[in-house]
Amino acid sequence: MNPALRRTAIVCIVLFAALFIQVNRVQFFEAYVQEDDSWCNIKSEDFDRMRGSILAGEEPIAVFEESENEAGSRYYRDYPQGEYFGNVTGYASISYGANHLECAASEYLDGSADLFLSDKILASLKGGEQTYGNVLTSIDPEAQRTAYDAIAEVADEGSAVAIEPSTGRILAQVSVPGWDPGLVSSLDTEAAGAEYDRLNGLESNPMLDHAINEFAPPGSTFKTVVAAAYIEKGLGDADSMVPAGNRYEPPGAGQPITNAADQCAESELPLKEAFARSCNTTFSQICNEELSPRDIADMAAELGFEEKFSTPISSLWASTTGGVEKLEDKGIRAQACIGQNTVSASTLQNAVIASTVANDGIRMDPRMLDTITNAENETIHRFDDEKAGRAFSSDTADELKKIMEEVVTGANGTGSNAYVDGFTTGGKTGTAEHTDKKGDPLPDHGWFIGWGGSDSDSPDVAVAVFLPEYGQGGSSNATAIAGKIMSQVLNNPSEA
């Protein structure tokens, strides 16, 4: 046999054998392992070798740099964008391991994933060259910075998520206040420890990604879920007349449901008008008198409630209706149906709701990873879009788009701040009351969810913005922030 062919045959045999062993090892011996990608360990020796970069668009947001000291050459993690992307990258620290993407994508960054099996074998045949990979995310760096700056300009705390509806690609995932992972990742363990302790001592807890791990009453944004259940069940459409009024007393309940500003005095209104004016009385009555608790719970579940998302960064908990399907008390149920009491949601969850409406009722799994490249920057893997399922029909989605457009462009809509000139936009504002552990009232949360595109048939971006405990003007500012994010994305479309 020709020597070159013999070497090629040997390499192929070794590759197939190694692949067979690895597949069987994972399938039969590691199938029971349930990974937690919120934090993972990194060995000290891992800082003696290269680790791949994390990128947003073409911009590196996490890189390994070389450091010369008395002990010789070591690598340390640097984060060129600092606080803008800290909640996305997390840290890779010799003292504290890794979290967020540094952990969730660690097998790609350090080259230990099965994708690199052939690279490892070929590298060993060439004399032990190192294998590592780069992670290219779906994050649009300009959208990320726009969202961060817009929140930081008006609030000390807040979060935002922007999604491409047709794919589920996350274009921005912002948590304010931000933090610089480079300080925790320093090779100076004393300095890293001081910064780690400082960050953990802050009441705002910046190292927690508030976009996916802060859960709060969603307020009137939850009316989108109720409207979806109402329309999907065939009870009406955007133009159907629904009960309104400025006061509703649920049967057997002690506390009546009222509106924020007596804005729904008519006894009946078209659904799109009641939605635009955000009539609490309308959606409480629909829930108690036309829908069953199971109808609400099922629609919420179709939209992602009770499900932990993994993008691949995993949320710690799931958004929840708090068992609305079991609520016999119609007073509590009435409150739940306007996003209060038992219901809580994350910013990512609310972005998924808006994205599902924009995508004609098909819910896509939110994802943050686009491609993996090897050390030579050759693409070795592309991540696929994944459908979570159809939450509701395309006809229902069309009606939901109509009522959400009315919020932004209608004469009585509460979301005009989200309007983007030259594009079709829709959304829903939300103000959520909440209390401290003693039951004393705290400043209201402000919410907005929405979508925008060249037309309502195929919106290009869906967003959710959350301003916790903002108080007066919270939903209005959240709406304006969402408008800025959508404008950035729509006026500067990505080539991805």
Side-chain angles (χ1 to χ4, degrees):
M1 181 184 288
N2 183 294
L5 288 176
R6 183 182 298 110
R7 284 195 297 272
T8 301
I10 292 171
V11 169
C12 289
I13 291 169
V14 172
L15 284 172
F16 278 118
L19 182 61
F20 178 80
I21 292 169
Q22 177 67 8
V23 167
N24 280 276
R25 180 176 67 83
V26 171
Q27 200 167 13
F28 296 107
F29 296 101
E30 295 185 3
Y32 66 92
V33 177
Q34 188 160 9
E35 297 182 0
D36 178 4
D37 56 24
S38 60
W39 180 88
C40 55
N41 188 36
I42 296 182
K43 302 185 186 78
S44 176
E45 53 265 32
D46 290 334
F47 290 82
D48 295 327
R49 58 193 295 272
M50 269 298 292
R51 181 178 175 88
S53 298
I54 303 174
L55 298 93
E58 297 180 353
E59 296 186 23
I61 56 177
V63 296
F64 246 19
E65 299 286 357
E66 195 167 4
S67 172
E68 294 285 347
N69 54 42
E70 300 81 7
S73 177
R74 298 208 83 178
Y75 292 97
Y76 66 94
R77 207 59 160 160
D78 186 44
Y79 301 88
Q81 295 288 328
E83 62 186 14
Y84 283 115
F85 291 89
N87 69 304
V88 171
T89 62
Y91 55 72
S93 167
I94 197 169
S95 302
Y96 298 103
N99 67 352
H100 303 334
L101 268 188
E102 288 280 27
C103 177
S106 188
E107 65 173 352
Y108 305 122
L109 296 167
D110 64 15
S112 63
D114 293 345
L115 294 173
F116 298 93
L117 184 59
S118 59
D119 287 304
K120 288 178 183 177
I121 294 173
L122 291 173
S124 66
L125 293 174
K126 292 179 181 179
E129 294 181 9
Q130 187 195 340
T131 300
Y132 62 88
N134 303 304
V135 172
L136 283 66
T137 72
S138 59
I139 299 292
D140 177 334
E142 286 301 327
Q144 182 84 1
R145 286 189 286 265
T146 295
Y148 187 97
D149 289 341
I151 293 173
E153 185 178 341
V154 300
D156 295 327
E157 297 182 33
S159 57
V161 174
I163 295 176
E164 186 175 65
S166 62
T167 63
R169 297 173 67 245
I170 295 175
L171 304 177
Q173 183 170 301
V174 167
S175 181
V176 174
W179 59 291
D180 185 351
L183 300 175
V184 178
S185 301
S186 170
L187 292 177
D188 182 338
T189 55
E190 185 175 340
E195 177 64 7
Y196 184 84
D197 291 341
R198 185 189 74 82
L199 290 169
N200 274 318
L202 295 174
E203 187 176 352
S204 59
N205 196 5
M207 285 196 291
L208 180 75
D209 187 343
H210 294 274
I212 63 172
N213 282 322
E214 183 170 13
F215 299 83
S220 291
T221 61
F222 193 74
K223 291 170 184 173
T224 312
V225 178
V226 178
Y230 175 82
I231 297 169
E232 182 72 0
K233 199 171 180 181
L235 298 175
D237 56 27
D239 296 310
S240 296
M241 298 302 291
V242 292
N246 279 326
R247 184 182 180 89
Y248 167 60
E249 296 189 13
Q255 184 175 358
I257 300 296
T258 58
N259 297 312
D262 294 338
Q263 74 270 29
C264 309
E266 298 91 333
S267 61
E268 285 188 324
L269 287 169
L271 177 62
K272 65 182 180 183
E273 185 67 19
F275 192 81
R277 297 190 200 180
S278 202
C279 300
N280 293 336
T281 51
T282 294
F283 292 89
S284 296
Q285 288 180 79
I286 285 175
C287 269
N288 273 336
E289 298 171 17
E290 301 194 52
L291 295 169
S292 71
R294 174 55 63 183
D295 291 332
I296 301 301
D298 287 350
M299 180 55 70
E302 291 288 351
L303 288 163
F305 280 79
E306 322 302 338
E307 179 181 323
K308 286 174 62 175
F309 294 118
S310 179
T311 65
I313 305 171
S314 291
S315 54
L316 298 174
W317 301 281
S319 299
T320 182
T321 63
V324 69
E325 72 278 8
K326 299 176 183 177
L327 289 177
E328 296 183 3
D329 187 317
K330 291 193 173 183
I332 297 177
R333 192 191 308 166
Q335 293 173 19
C337 286
I338 56 173
Q340 297 283 170
N341 207 295
T342 62
V343 182
S344 66
S346 67
T347 308
L348 176 58
Q349 170 63 75
N350 253 350
V352 167
I353 292 173
S355 179
T356 304
V357 174
N359 197 40
D360 291 329
I362 297 174
R363 175 162 70 94
M364 303 298 292
D365 283 329
R367 67 172 176 87
M368 193 179 285
L369 302 187
D370 269 351
T371 59
I372 304 298
T373 65
N374 60 18
E376 286 74 40
N377 284 319
E378 299 167 333
T379 297
I380 59 174
H381 182 72
R382 295 183 187 277
F383 290 88
D384 294 329
D385 307 330
E386 297 286 346
K387 292 182 181 179
R390 178 171 283 283
F392 41 76
S393 69
S394 59
D395 288 342
T396 294
D398 287 342
E399 297 304 311
L400 289 171
K401 288 175 186 175
K402 290 177 185 177
I403 68 174
M404 294 180 83
E405 284 183 57
E406 193 71 16
V407 171
V408 176
T409 59
N412 298 309
T414 56
S416 59
N417 285 347
Y419 177 72
V420 181
D421 188 32
F423 295 91
T424 301
T425 49
K428 184 70 191 80
T429 56
T431 299
E433 300 174 353
H434 73 125
T435 62
D436 60 20
K437 293 180 180 179
K438 296 179 181 178
D440 296 326
L442 294 171
D444 293 341
H445 299 314
W447 283 97
F448 180 82
I449 67 172
W451 47 264
S454 54
D455 55 59
S456 62
D457 290 335
S458 55
D460 301 302
V461 62
V463 297
V465 177
F466 177 50
L467 300 179
E469 295 187 16
Y470 191 93
Q472 185 70 28
S475 64
S476 177
N477 277 293
T479 304
I481 292 166
K484 291 179 181 179
I485 300 169
M486 289 194 290
S487 179
Q488 170 61 40
V489 173
L490 295 172
N491 285 299
N492 302 277
S494 171
E495 296 180 1

